[in-house]
Every structure is written in C-alpha cells, then in structure tokens.
C-alpha cells in the first residue's frame, strides 16, 4: 500500500513544502493539495517547489476540475512540471465543489468531466486532442506521462471513473462504502472492456493518531461536512431513499442546514455540527497507531492501493511522524 499526504495550500507556502519534505522522509510517496483558487494559494506554483525539494514524491491536486482552467493550460502545466522534474505528477480531477461554487458557478457536468479527462491526458502525453472543436497538440512534449485519477461518489460518476480514469479517488474511509464503490468502478471498467485491476484505488480521509478520541473527532468532524456537500448533490439528483445510493452514505445529512465555504476543510468548521461521532469514526482513521493499522489492513484487503492522509488539524507533524515510524512500515513490510 502506498501513502499520500493531503494539504490545503494555506500561506505560507514554505510550510506546505516543509510538510511535504517531512512526508517523503517518513515514507509517503504522494503529495496532494486542494485546488480552489479563491480559498487557497495556487497549487501548481507550489508543486514546482515541492518537486524541487523532494526526490521521488509524486504530486497533484485532490482535486482540480475542468471549469476553472482551460484544458490545454492544465495539460501544459502538468507537462511542464514533468519535463522539469521527471514524470512525477498525477491529475486528480472531479466535477468541482468549492472551486466552482465559491466563484458563483455550478459544478461541471459529468459529460464535460469525461471529455476533459481524455483531452488533458492526451495533450499532456503529447498526443493531439480536440479542444472546442479545434485539433491541438503541444509540440514540445516528449515521453510525457500523466495518470488521471477521478474523484467520485454517485453511481454515474463511479461508472465514469471505471470507464475512463487511471485511478479512482474515494474521499472517505468507511469500509462498507469503500467496498460498494470499488465494486461499482470495477464493474464499469469491465463493461467498458478495460482491465478493472489496472485502475489504482486511492482512499483519502483524515487521520489523527492519539488516545484522546473526543479531541480527534472534533479535529476531524469537518470532513463529514465536506463529504456532505457531495452527498447533498446525490440526494437532490437521485432522491432521499434511492436504491442507487446507499443509506449508509445519505442518512447522516438530514440535519444539514447549509454550508459556509470560508471554513471549508478546516477543524472547528461551524457548518459541520450536524455530523455525528459515528460518521467521524466511520469516515476517518482515529485512535492509537494500532487502530489505524487494523483499518488500513481492512482497506487494503478491499483493494485499496493508496491511503492519502488529510492532515488538516492541530497535529500535522506528529501525524506524519507517527505514520512514518509506526503505521507505514506495518503496511509496506
């Protein structure tokens, strides 16, 4: 199992770079960041410094979207980083939640997302692609490589991930839902004539190592609110009791009353008071190192290839170090 670190690009950027360097020293192989231009600093500028200050770390957004940047710009940016530092980038992509909504736009359609995934990958790897009806190829790209990993929750998005993505990003660590969603992605891949086993499965969720469960829950409760934004979209699309979406995912948002993006992804987010302890425990990894190891082994048994640690709480450094000294060695031995 691989491990990734997920951060917001809050200033100063030097702190983000420092934490990524610390992560690589502790055995993490991937460094991810949020991508929302209004809320945080520009991640692709920071990726250049992360890559320059690490040796093998792969970097990318968790996640970008096809609406805030033109597709040829996204492809060229990834390809430039790869040309400078070797093929060490991954394009995590989704419909766009905070990045689009904070700018007053609706998230992208799945049709647009599917088209963008193909175009961005083709352009970044040096092939010709059609952008707004115009054939384009970036001539200077040689031996480019850009895996495209898609974030998804709902049945149609899971199907799209299976049909087109090189990897599937699931932003929660509930065992039942992880099994259900991986199965949906792999079935869609098989139906599309693809090898289901070739799709990398990445589970991303907050992790907090320590004995004080009450404090850990409060530091990670924001995550249930973030997931709740996507779940609310699913409920509006499929209905409250749809057979297409498990109640294990939708039930907890009944008490949800709006969401303030100024606190997005932050400990103490007042918009997440509706999230019960049970959901925090199911969606996150909390407790002593042994509890993390047990849950990670269960996730690995379900087919998870990478666990990416959302490290937005008051124990960033100690969580990275605990993973490096106790948890990663137990899962990679």
């Amino acid at each position: 199992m691989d491990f990734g670190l997920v951060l917001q690009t809050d200033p100063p950027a030097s702190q983000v770079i420092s934490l990524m360097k610390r992560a690589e020293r502790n055995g993490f192989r991937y460094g991810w960041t949020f991508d929302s231009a209004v809320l945080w600093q520009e991640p692709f500028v920071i990726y250049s410094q992360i890559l320059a200050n690490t040796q093998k770390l792969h970097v990318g957004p968790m996640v970008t979207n096809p609406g805030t940047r033109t597709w040829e710009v996204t492809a060229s940016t990834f390809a430039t980083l790869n040309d400078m530092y070797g093929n060490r980038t991954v394009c995590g992509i989704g419909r766009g939640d905070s990045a689009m909504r904070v700018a007053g736009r609706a998230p992208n359609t799945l049709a647009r997302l599917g088209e963008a995934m193909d175009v961005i990958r083709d352009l970044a790897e040096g092939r010709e692609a059609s952008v707004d009806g115009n054939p384009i190829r970036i001539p200077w790209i040689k031996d480019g490589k850009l895996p495209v990993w898609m974030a998804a929750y709902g049945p149609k998005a899971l199907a799209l991930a299976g049909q087109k993505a090189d990897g599937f990003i699931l932003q929660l660590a509930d065992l039942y839902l992880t099994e259900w969603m991986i199965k949906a992605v792999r079935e869609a891949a098989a139906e599309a004539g693809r090898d289901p086993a070739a799709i990398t499965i990445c589970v991303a969720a907050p992790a907090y190592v320590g004995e004080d469960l009450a404090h850990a829950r409060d530091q990670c409760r924001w995550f249930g609110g973030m997931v709740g934004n996507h779940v609310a979209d699913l409920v509006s699309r499929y209905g409250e009791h749809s057979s297409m979406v498990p109640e294990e995912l939708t039930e907890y948002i009944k008490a949800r009353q709006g969401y303030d993006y100024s606190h997005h992804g932050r400990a103490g987010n007042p918009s997440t008071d509706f999230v019960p302890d049970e959901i925090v425990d199911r969606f996150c990894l909390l407790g002593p190192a042994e509890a993390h190891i047990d849950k990670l082994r269960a996730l690995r048994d379900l087919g998870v290839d990478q666990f990416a640690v959302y490290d937005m709480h008051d124990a960033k450094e100690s969580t990275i170090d605990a993973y490096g000294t106790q948890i990663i060695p137990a899962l990679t031995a």
Side-chain angles (χ1 to χ4, degrees), residues 151-228:
Y153 291 108
K156 292 181 180 179
L158 294 169
L160 180 63
Q163 292 157 6
K164 290 184 176 288
D166 302 300
F168 165 49
I169 297 172
L170 173 56
Q171 292 163 307
L172 54 78
D174 177 79
L175 296 178
Y176 172 81
L177 293 171
T178 297
E179 182 176 20
W180 183 83
M181 293 186 186
I182 290 175
K183 180 181 179 183
V185 169
R186 287 180 168 162
E187 286 179 348
E191 290 172 3
R194 305 180 69 204
D195 178 5
I199 299 175
T200 302
I201 306 296
C202 175
V203 162
Y208 198 107
V209 183
E211 300 288 343
D212 188 343
L213 275 177
H215 180 73
R217 287 171 180 142
D218 285 344
Q219 286 291 304
C220 298
R221 198 174 306 276
W222 62 266
F223 184 66
M226 187 183 86
V227 174

Side-chain angles (χ1 to χ4, degrees), residues 29-220:
R29 293 191 60 235
Y30 288 78
W32 303 94
T33 74
F34 283 33
D35 177 16
S36 189
V38 174
L39 297 177
W40 300 289
Q41 292 187 329
E42 172 54 41
F44 287 92
V45 176
I46 299 172
Y47 295 157
S48 188
Q49 286 298 302
I50 294 171
L51 290 165
N53 282 277
T54 56
Q55 283 70 54
K56 296 182 179 180
L57 199 72
H58 289 68
V59 304
M62 191 175 279
V63 292
T64 193
N65 73 86
T68 53
R69 309 170 204 273
T70 59
W71 303 348
E72 68 273 19
V73 169
T74 299
S76 181
T77 303
F78 277 112
T80 301
L81 291 171
N82 285 337
D83 188 63
M84 293 172 68
Y85 301 106
N87 289 326
R88 292 166 55 196
T89 65
V90 181
C91 178
I93 195 167
R95 293 177 60 230
D97 177 31
S98 62
M100 296 296 286
R101 288 184 164 122
V102 168
R105 306 184 189 108
N108 297 271
T109 65
L110 288 175
R112 180 174 171 82
L113 175 57
E115 183 183 358
M117 289 165 60
D118 289 338
V119 168
I120 291 167
R121 184 195 293 111
D122 283 344
L123 290 177
E125 295 186 348
R127 295 183 294 276
E128 183 179 287
S130 177
V131 180
D132 296 328
N134 299 308
I136 294 174
R137 187 178 73 84
I138 302 175
W140 51 263
I141 295 176
K142 300 291 186 291
D143 302 319
K145 185 66 177 175
L146 183 65
V148 177
W149 295 9
M150 179 184 158
Y153 291 108
K156 292 181 180 179
L158 294 169
L160 180 63
Q163 292 157 6
K164 290 184 176 288
D166 302 300
F168 165 49
I169 297 172
L170 173 56
Q171 292 163 307
L172 54 78
D174 177 79
L175 296 178
Y176 172 81
L177 293 171
T178 297
E179 182 176 20
W180 183 83
M181 293 186 186
I182 290 175
K183 180 181 179 183
V185 169
R186 287 180 168 162
E187 286 179 348
E191 290 172 3
R194 305 180 69 204
D195 178 5
I199 299 175
T200 302
I201 306 296
C202 175
V203 162
Y208 198 107
V209 183
E211 300 288 343
D212 188 343
L213 275 177
H215 180 73
R217 287 171 180 142
D218 285 344
Q219 286 291 304
C220 298

